[in-house]
Amino acid sequence: MLRCHSGFTIMELMARLDVGERTIRKDLEFIQGPPYNAVLWNEYRGKERLYRYKDIDYSIPLFEKSEGFREKISEIINVIDPLSDIPQYSWLKSCLMSIEQNGTTSIANTMSFDNNAFLEGIEHIKILVDAITNKYPVKMVYKPFNMDKRTIYVHPYHLKQYNTRWFLIGRPDGFEVIHNYALDRIVSIAHLSKPYIETDIDFEEYFDDVIGVSVNSLPIETIELMVDKRRYPYVRTKPLHWSQKHLRERDTDDMVCITISVKPNNELYSTILSFGSDMVVVSPETVKQEMLKRVSTLMNLYK
């Protein structure tokens, strides 16, 4: 902004940037205050007023400290820009732009994210994003917990984060089914020179019927749960699943009744267990019995 030695008029800038006069005037006012304190020069050109920096070699810094940091933030803003109209992500772009304007190189004192700085496997994200974007299979050396290493050829389709871990969703070569692979179990990964098998799966809907990343062929169950009234506000503001409903007519003096409609998987049972005695499965019987088996195993460990 304001890089032209000869200056500009408000009308010229409106035409160039496709913004309103009020926006430009507010921007002019903004850059004249801290932290930029730009000094502007202006004169009339007929009936129009011409603006430029008083020092024609001056340009407001995008950041005060690190050029490398400025470039990184600019890259991130460009990446998330297509998501900025989605409410879940629009705040992030606003925060980054605020950091950009204020010239700080530290976000640690402003925000904290639930992430593990020592998480293994995140170094594989770049090659996997490239493989998914450019549609080529990969060769992975993979080591599940308590098992030997094995080499797998995978056609990668999607990356999903759940519970601070990253998972690759893809189709192993020679199989029709889709698998998920924890990135922290990947030992090494490389480009595989084989034809890529595409998928018609819509990953905006693929995980709709489950909690977590384990999608199976089980039928969707409507699971009725009783939640301690003191704990319910947390469940109400952070639902277990998008299908969560409150059945007020089944509430008791101490418990709130909710339902979710999902395919039972390990993530479901782990989520319910995480609430301890504050959440109890009422139905269906199959889910109730599975929870009873897991709770019994846990009790035996404490004996």
Side-chain angles (χ1 to χ4, degrees), residues 62-63 66-76:
L62 186 57
F63 286 96
S66 169
E67 180 68 17
F69 184 75
R70 179 194 68 79
E71 291 176 356
K72 289 294 183 184
I73 293 294
S74 295
E75 287 176 9
I76 295 170

Side-chain angles (χ1 to χ4, degrees), residues 103-114:
T104 179
T105 58
S106 174
I107 193 173
N109 291 325
T110 306
M111 302 175 70
S112 296
F113 294 89
D114 185 15

Side-chain angles (χ1 to χ4, degrees), residues 187-205:
V187 178
S188 64
I189 190 168
H191 184 174
L192 181 63
S193 297
K194 290 187 68 173
Y196 180 78
I197 300 175
E198 298 197 42
T199 182
D200 58 0
I201 293 174
D202 182 353
F203 285 99
E204 289 189 1
E205 300 178 355

Side-chain angles (χ1 to χ4, degrees), residues 20-48:
E21 180 179 349
R22 179 180 296 179
T23 299
I24 293 174
R25 291 193 181 279
K26 291 181 74 172
D27 284 347
L28 289 174
E29 181 180 347
F30 174 77
I31 65 173
Q32 292 179 82
Y36 302 119
N37 300 311
V39 180
L40 301 185
W41 171 91
N42 66 85
E43 67 175 7
Y44 281 96
R45 187 175 66 185
K47 294 183 179 180
E48 298 178 326

